Amino acid sequence: MGHDHSHDHTDPPSDPALRVKALESLLVEKGLVDPAAIDEIIETYETKVGPRNGAKVVVRAWTDPDFKSLLLSDANKAIHSMGYTGRQGEHMKVVENTDTRHNLVVCTLCSCYPWTVLGLPPVWYKSAPYRARAVSDPKGVLAEFGTTLPKDMKISVWDSTSEMRFLVLPQRPEGTDGWTTAELEKLVTRNSMIGVEQALTPERLQARESNPTA
Amino acid sequence: MNGAHDLGGMHGLGPINPEPERKEPLFHAEWEKRALGLTLTAGWLGQWNIDISRFARERQHPVAYLSNSYYENWLAGLETLLVERDVISSEELAMGKAIDPAPKELTDKCAPASAVQDILASGGPCDFPTNDPQEFKIGDKIKVIQFNPTGHTRAPRYIRGHEGTICDYYGSFIFPDENAQGNKTGQHLYNVSFDGSQLWGDGNDTTIHVDLWQSYMEKL
């Protein structure tokens, strides 16, 4: 990562690792930033706030019709009632996949993403090619994720241009009657809640679990 | 502004190459963690808002914006804002060393680790009242105005001048174009659907939903 060559102080380091380090030490020296607060933020998104939150919301909607109807009519109320509140989840809208319509979420202008239920966005979600093509060629984008939809399935793309954050409610896979909540949650991938994939089928889950590195 | 950030519909950017979900680390380098944390904690000093900070990233040279990784763009935006808002000087930034002490009103805002959970959990709601009448209702046909603002806007190029249908009304929210200039005003916010064929040509049967503020649109 680091440069070996020396440079004087009029030539700021261009390596982001060095720039970040210099900036943090400056802001700490000036009493503007507490490094322990940064540690706390990182730990929050590494261990507490992530896509398992969203999976719990989805499975509750699959198993509790009253919750599902609240989730679709007033997502804020439904999601906040599960304790998932805060930064980049202040205003939520849930869009439901059906037999005839598949939903896909993007932010063409930056990287808006529902942090409270999905955590921090993956690199591909923030990448230029995804942001460019999700709105103009969603089928091509889905194909890059290995997702093929039935021929007559229509696609709705949600471009997150305001502070409203979108979560896709994937369809509950067939063959999951009687499954426990914990089992169902395993079917709900992060990508299925962005809309680049569908929820895992029981067969795909089994294949994954028998080959965890695949 | 018509910057490199306004990517909807652009060609030639190559494949997405997503990392498999189960293998992708949350961060790809230690410095990314610090860049995220610095951006959030410096933001809590209250010297700018989310639209000012988006605009700081957007107005980089397009070559820089598209060459940078995402957290490099965050870092570039943060450096710009800290200097522009006189939180630090460009000399201090270059040296990574303080020359002048920060004023007490700023250091008083430094968030301790013990405050982080509360700050993250309360977030920053963006609804904000307006006295303007609500001009559109669900089902109305609208046309997005044709405009080319040099400042920050959340009306992407690919829908400007196009016809759409109001399909949801969210209430009144902070208007980003003004907020990026430090003016906090409310405006009615809608979700608007567009036909793929209208935006991208025959044969595109996608429906594209975009959130748009009232002044971006006129009634058809």
Side-chain angles (χ1 to χ4, degrees):
Chain A
M1 263 294 188
H3 293 266
D4 288 322
H5 67 266
S6 61
H7 50 74
D8 65 32
H9 288 312
T10 58
D11 175 25
S14 60
D15 183 325
L18 298 180
R19 273 165 64 202
V20 169
K21 200 170 180 183
L23 187 59
E24 181 173 343
S25 95
L26 171 62
L27 293 176
V28 171
E29 185 188 356
K30 287 176 81 89
L32 298 171
V33 159
D34 176 359
I38 298 181
D39 297 339
E40 181 77 16
I41 292 167
I42 296 163
E43 201 201 320
T44 300
Y45 292 105
E46 281 185 329
T47 63
K48 295 188 187 117
V49 179
R52 293 303 90 205
N53 291 2
K56 286 183 166 48
V57 172
V58 166
V59 167
R60 186 149 171 214
W62 283 352
T63 54
D64 176 347
D66 289 342
F67 180 80
K68 179 179 168 182
S69 103
L70 180 65
L71 186 66
L72 295 175
S73 61
D74 188 346
N76 279 358
K77 197 170 174 186
I79 292 171
H80 296 173
S81 79
M82 293 180 72
Y84 307 138
T85 64
R87 187 185 174 89
Q88 292 301 315
E90 295 92 341
H91 309 283
M92 293 287 312
K93 182 178 172 79
V94 172
V95 290
E96 183 187 17
N97 287 350
T98 66
D99 289 339
T100 54
R101 187 157 295 276
H102 182 86
N103 294 282
L104 177 69
V105 178
V106 64
C107 173
T108 61
L109 296 173
C110 50
S111 61
C112 297
Y113 189 75
W115 287 20
T116 50
V117 281
L118 296 186
L120 300 175
V123 167
W124 62 258
Y125 183 86
K126 302 178 285 189
S127 73
Y130 180 74
R131 288 163 53 193
R133 282 194 280 119
V135 284
S136 60
D137 179 24
K139 282 188 190 127
V141 165
L142 291 176
E144 286 189 47
F145 287 82
T147 303
T148 342
L149 300 174
K151 209 163 181 264
D152 48 357
M153 176 85 78
K154 295 281 193 285
I155 300 177
S156 290
V157 181
W158 301 80
D159 189 357
S160 315
T161 51
S162 78
E163 302 309 326
M164 187 63 71
R165 298 288 165 266
F166 300 102
L167 182 75
V168 174
L169 175 58
Q171 285 190 285
R172 180 172 174 165
E174 309 232 338
T176 58
D177 287 352
W179 284 36
T180 66
T181 301
E183 286 169 334
L184 288 169
E185 282 173 17
K186 290 185 191 172
L187 302 171
V188 187
T189 62
R190 174 199 67 200
N191 286 2
S192 72
M193 295 181 278
I194 305 172
V196 290
E197 292 169 5
Q198 293 173 303
L200 296 175
T201 59
E203 296 73 32
R204 283 194 61 205
L205 178 66
Q206 197 180 18
R208 277 191 178 207
E209 293 197 329
S210 60
N211 185 6
T213 58
Chain B
M1 66 179 290
N2 296 337
H5 67 288
D6 188 358
L7 284 164
M10 191 180 284
H11 290 145
L13 293 164
I16 298 162
N17 288 331
E19 285 177 87
E21 179 173 338
R22 289 184 302 163
K23 291 185 186 168
E24 178 170 5
L26 192 59
F27 297 98
H28 291 72
E30 283 300 306
W31 70 265
E32 293 186 344
K33 302 179 184 178
R34 307 314 288 180
L36 168 80
L38 276 177
T39 301
L40 265 58
T41 50
W44 296 340
L45 296 170
Q47 302 305 295
W48 53 80
N49 61 45
I50 191 164
D51 292 299
I52 291 172
S53 91
R54 285 188 182 124
F55 189 47
R57 294 169 200 152
E58 292 164 6
R59 62 196 150 93
Q60 294 178 82
H61 192 284
V63 172
Y65 184 92
L66 288 170
S67 309
N68 283 343
S69 70
Y70 202 79
Y71 285 114
E72 285 179 297
N73 277 330
W74 275 35
L75 178 60
L78 178 59
E79 290 171 340
T80 299
L81 289 173
L82 286 167
V83 172
E84 281 183 357
R85 303 273 148 172
D86 290 326
V87 178
I88 60 173
S89 67
S90 48
E91 292 77 18
E92 288 177 320
L93 176 64
M95 291 194 307
K97 257 337 261 162
I99 297 171
D100 297 311
K104 188 174 179 305
E105 60 264 31
L106 265 189
T107 55
D108 281 350
K109 290 183 180 155
C110 174
S114 57
V116 166
Q117 290 308 325
D118 281 348
I119 297 173
L120 291 178
S122 52
C126 296
D127 42 329
F128 195 73
T130 178
N131 291 323
D132 296 344
Q134 183 188 332
E135 281 183 30
F136 310 118
K137 59 182 191 306
I138 292 171
D140 281 355
K141 303 285 179 200
I142 60 89
K143 184 174 180 176
V144 183
I145 58 169
Q146 186 55 267
F147 68 143
N148 280 289
T150 52
H152 178 68
T153 186
R154 296 295 285 182
R157 263 176 293 187
Y158 75 88
I159 48 96
R160 292 187 206 153
H162 286 288
E163 295 173 10
T165 305
I166 302 282
C167 58
D168 202 354
Y169 170 68
Y170 295 152
S172 180
F173 280 73
I174 298 169
F175 181 52
D177 304 41
E178 286 289 329
N179 200 40
Q181 299 173 53
N183 306 319
K184 189 175 180 182
T185 58
Q187 213 186 92
H188 297 289
L189 176 64
Y190 307 83
N191 185 268
V192 184
S193 66
F194 297 86
D195 289 339
S197 58
Q198 152 99 217
L199 299 181
W200 311 111
D202 286 347
N204 188 313
D205 63 354
T206 309
T207 304
I208 296 99
H209 290 260
V210 183
D211 291 340
L212 296 174
W213 277 264
Q214 185 157 290
S215 65
Y216 295 155
M217 300 180 279
E218 57 195 24
K219 203 166 181 171
L220 269 185

